[in-house]
Amino acid sequence: MIQDPMKETIAKSVVLQCVQSAHRQKRSCIVVSFSSGGCVTSQTMEMSVDGLRNVLEFLDYRFGGGTDVTGAITHVMKLHALSSPSDSTNKQGLEMASSDLVLITDGEIPDPPISNDMMEELDQLKRKTGMEIHGLLVGDKESIPLEKLCTQVHTCLMGLDTQSMLLRHANAIEN
């Protein structure tokens, strides 16, 4: 996902805002965290005691190891497949039935981001359910692979160079 601590803080802040917005709208918010190597976790975040524990665990988690969206996209597609009203045993699946996806990343995604077969399945899912995928690109001005995946890409802190910024602050403190 995101390795720069400042970018990671921004990404987590956006997730926290999504949880708060979902709560106000009386909707669920499922956070799927991912990195390279197929590491994918999924938690329902809500404004309850257990939900807030999940939020705090997520905020404490440190991401790293690259950005491999394949596992996350596969997980989301499986949750959507389980969103059948006849299967009331899968809470997360039912919550996904009318959901959108927000993909927050630093943009370092392989090109192509997922296989052609998976891209076709994802396009089918978007057409069938009306799901939109919004990408939030933190710190870069563009990511062609992210644009291939998303309905719309939003940028945040384009051109942010945290190393240069930290050096300027360190020099200012020394002087």
Side-chain angles (χ1 to χ4, degrees):
M1 198 162 164
I2 297 178
Q3 295 183 20
D4 181 314
M6 185 174 286
K7 292 177 184 179
E8 184 173 311
T9 299
I10 292 164
K12 288 177 178 180
S13 298
V14 170
V15 169
L16 188 56
Q17 183 59 45
C18 288
V19 172
Q20 291 173 337
S21 294
H23 176 72
R24 278 193 303 274
Q25 297 172 17
K26 296 180 175 41
R27 295 177 59 178
S28 295
C29 182
I30 299 171
V31 175
V32 179
S33 307
F34 62 94
S35 62
S36 290
C39 180
V40 177
T41 62
S42 175
Q43 294 178 309
T44 300
M45 305 284 183
E46 53 192 27
M47 296 301 190
S48 66
V49 173
D50 289 335
L52 288 176
R53 270 193 210 107
N54 289 343
V55 170
L56 291 173
E57 285 175 18
F58 170 78
L59 293 174
D60 193 45
Y61 185 78
R62 298 287 172 253
F63 296 99
T67 306
D68 178 5
V69 298
T70 301
I73 297 294
T74 300
H75 187 77
V76 167
M77 289 177 17
K78 284 180 184 176
L79 287 175
H80 264 284
L82 295 172
S83 64
S84 165
S86 62
D87 180 11
S88 60
T89 60
N90 186 312
K91 185 177 183 226
Q92 282 191 340
L94 288 172
E95 293 167 343
M96 294 292 292
S98 62
S99 64
D100 291 330
L101 175 63
V102 178
L103 183 60
I104 306 169
T105 180
D106 58 6
E108 295 182 24
I109 299 174
D111 195 4
I114 56 178
S115 71
N116 288 336
D117 288 344
M118 184 176 281
M119 186 67 84
E120 286 178 28
E121 285 181 55
L122 185 60
D123 287 341
Q124 243 180 5
L125 178 65
K126 289 191 292 189
R127 282 191 303 275
K128 177 182 162 188
T129 64
M131 177 180 77
E132 292 186 354
I133 301 176
H134 292 267
L136 177 62
L137 184 57
V138 181
D140 262 330
K141 62 182 177 204
E142 73 175 5
S143 170
I144 302 300
L146 188 62
E147 290 173 12
K148 291 177 181 177
L149 275 176
C150 297
T151 310
Q152 188 171 2
V153 175
H154 312 271
T155 57
C156 176
L157 301 176
M158 291 185 302
L160 175 68
D161 182 355
T162 53
Q163 274 188 325
S164 296
M165 187 176 70
L166 291 173
L167 284 173
R168 281 194 308 274
H169 286 291
N171 289 336
I173 291 171
E174 288 176 1
N175 296 329

